[in-house]
Amino acid sequence: MAHIIAVLNQKGGVGKTTTTINLAAYLAKFGKTVLIVDSDPQGNATSGLGFEKQNDATTYQVLLGLVSPEDATLETAFAGVALMPANTNLAAAEIELMDQSDKENRLKKALVGLQYDYILIDCPPALSLLTVDALVAANWLLVPVQAEYYAMEGLGQLMEVFQRVKQTMNPNLNLLGVLVTMYDKRTSLAEQVVTELQKYFGETVFKTHIPRNVRLAEAPSHGKPISEHDKWSKGARAYKQFSKEVMNRAS
Ligand code: ATP
Ligand code: MG
């Protein structure tokens, strides 16, 4: 069975998509097969892997049962990494599924039986039906947290939603860990954020921190993961190391 990881923090711009793409790329480098499910109407994982957002077989059609997950899965230019793309259509899914009794189970049903070692779900910056669907489908929650002043804000609420889904709809859901992103070791603020996170989350904070690194920010505009854009950059080395930690924890 696949390890299904929901990459979620309802705060915007904390590194969810960057983490999804680069974790996928390194898991594949380590020989794993990986599917990225773009579950964000912004479609950043889709464009970040070099795909146009015009597509009639996306996560939206899969959630509505119009297209099979297999038919909505694209091979990427990066060996071992497949993608279920998304675009702005996906925003309508929340409304269109509103009256469906199985609305929280749509993604789970779609992903059951797919043959991958890892499935990474790139969530939107919201606690919405799309994120609940991701948490119901997943067996792991991965929370990227940006090392900045408001980092802790919202994490309590996120953990409440995680606990509620675990207790009601998905007892198989567990916290894979908290990943510190955009870490700048020259600032004492970044160090304070890590200390705070460790106080709250203990050992579940990943040992690897992702540094703020311009090469990571550039890579999506080339439609590439960092492993292909600049594999010797600090950002690349950090995501490679982080991917090893993920494989150790997931196994
Ligand atoms: P959203 O909530 O909008 O989906 P997100 O949480 O997915 O955002 P990203 O899109 O991954 O966040 O990152 C936000 C921005 O910060 C992007 O422009 C990205 O390229 C940049 N970025 C992410 N991680 C780093 C990093 N470690 N160093 C420098 N820039 C980064
Ligand atoms: Mg994103």
Side-chain angles (χ1 to χ4, degrees), residues 7 12-18 20 38 40 42-45 122-125:
V7 184
V14 298
K16 295 181 287 294
T17 303
T18 304
T20 302
D38 193 345
D40 181 353
Q42 297 180 100
N44 293 338
D122 187 25
C123 293

Side-chain angles (χ1 to χ4, degrees), residues 4-247:
I4 305 182
I5 305 175
V7 184
L8 172 58
N9 183 335
Q10 76 272 34
K11 194 188 278 281
V14 298
K16 295 181 287 294
T17 303
T18 304
T19 297
T20 302
I21 290 177
N22 294 311
L23 172 60
Y26 281 109
L27 289 172
K29 291 264 180 217
F30 289 121
K32 308 295 182 188
T33 56
V34 188
L35 171 67
I36 293 177
V37 176
D38 193 345
S39 191
D40 181 353
Q42 297 180 100
N44 293 338
T46 300
S47 55
L49 287 166
F51 287 94
E52 297 291 326
K53 294 181 194 171
Q54 284 72 23
N55 204 311
D56 346 302
T58 66
T59 304
Y60 168 78
Q61 282 82 6
V62 170
L63 290 175
L64 270 90
L66 303 170
V67 164
S68 74
E70 289 83 358
D71 286 343
T73 299
L74 304 165
E75 285 307 315
T76 71
F78 315 105
V81 181
L83 170 73
M84 188 182 292
N87 56 33
T88 49
N89 279 347
L90 186 56
E94 305 243 343
I95 298 156
E96 289 172 33
L97 290 174
M98 199 133 64
D99 300 327
Q100 305 289 322
S101 59
D102 68 342
K103 60 180 182 288
E104 283 123 350
N105 292 300
R106 291 288 177 123
L107 188 59
K108 183 188 178 81
K109 286 179 186 164
L111 300 184
V112 146
L114 293 186
Q115 300 295 318
Y116 294 92
D117 296 319
Y118 286 85
I119 299 178
L120 309 183
I121 309 169
D122 187 25
C123 293
L127 293 173
S128 58
L129 178 60
L130 288 173
T131 48
V132 172
D133 257 88
L135 291 174
V136 171
N139 55 322
W140 295 111
L141 167 63
L142 167 60
V143 185
V145 174
Q146 186 178 346
E148 47 115 51
Y149 184 61
Y150 293 110
M152 302 297 289
E153 210 168 73
L155 288 181
Q157 194 191 7
L158 174 54
M159 287 304 115
E160 275 170 32
V161 171
F162 159 70
Q163 288 297 348
R164 191 164 0 113
V165 171
K166 184 176 168 70
Q167 280 157 19
T168 57
M169 288 174 274
N170 183 9
N172 295 324
L173 184 64
N174 287 300
L175 181 61
L176 182 63
V178 172
L179 174 66
V180 177
T181 64
M182 295 182 241
Y183 177 76
D184 183 349
K185 66 169 185 255
R186 293 167 304 181
T187 69
S188 59
L189 176 62
E191 208 39 61
Q192 280 166 31
V193 170
V194 171
T195 306
E196 276 291 297
L197 284 171
Q198 284 167 341
K199 223 186 287 173
Y200 193 79
F201 291 100
E203 288 285 290
T204 54
V205 179
F206 284 97
K207 296 212 169 45
T208 310
H209 304 155
I210 307 301
R212 187 174 280 286
N213 178 229
V214 69
R215 304 300 268 166
L216 287 171
E218 289 165 3
S221 66
H222 300 274
K224 289 178 178 175
I226 194 65
S227 51
E228 307 301 317
H229 179 59
D230 183 354
K231 67 176 175 182
W232 301 115
S233 61
K234 277 193 310 181
R237 281 179 284 162
Y239 270 112
K240 187 176 183 185
Q241 190 60 36
F242 166 63
S243 304
K244 287 188 197 162
E245 276 196 73
V246 168
M247 287 187 294

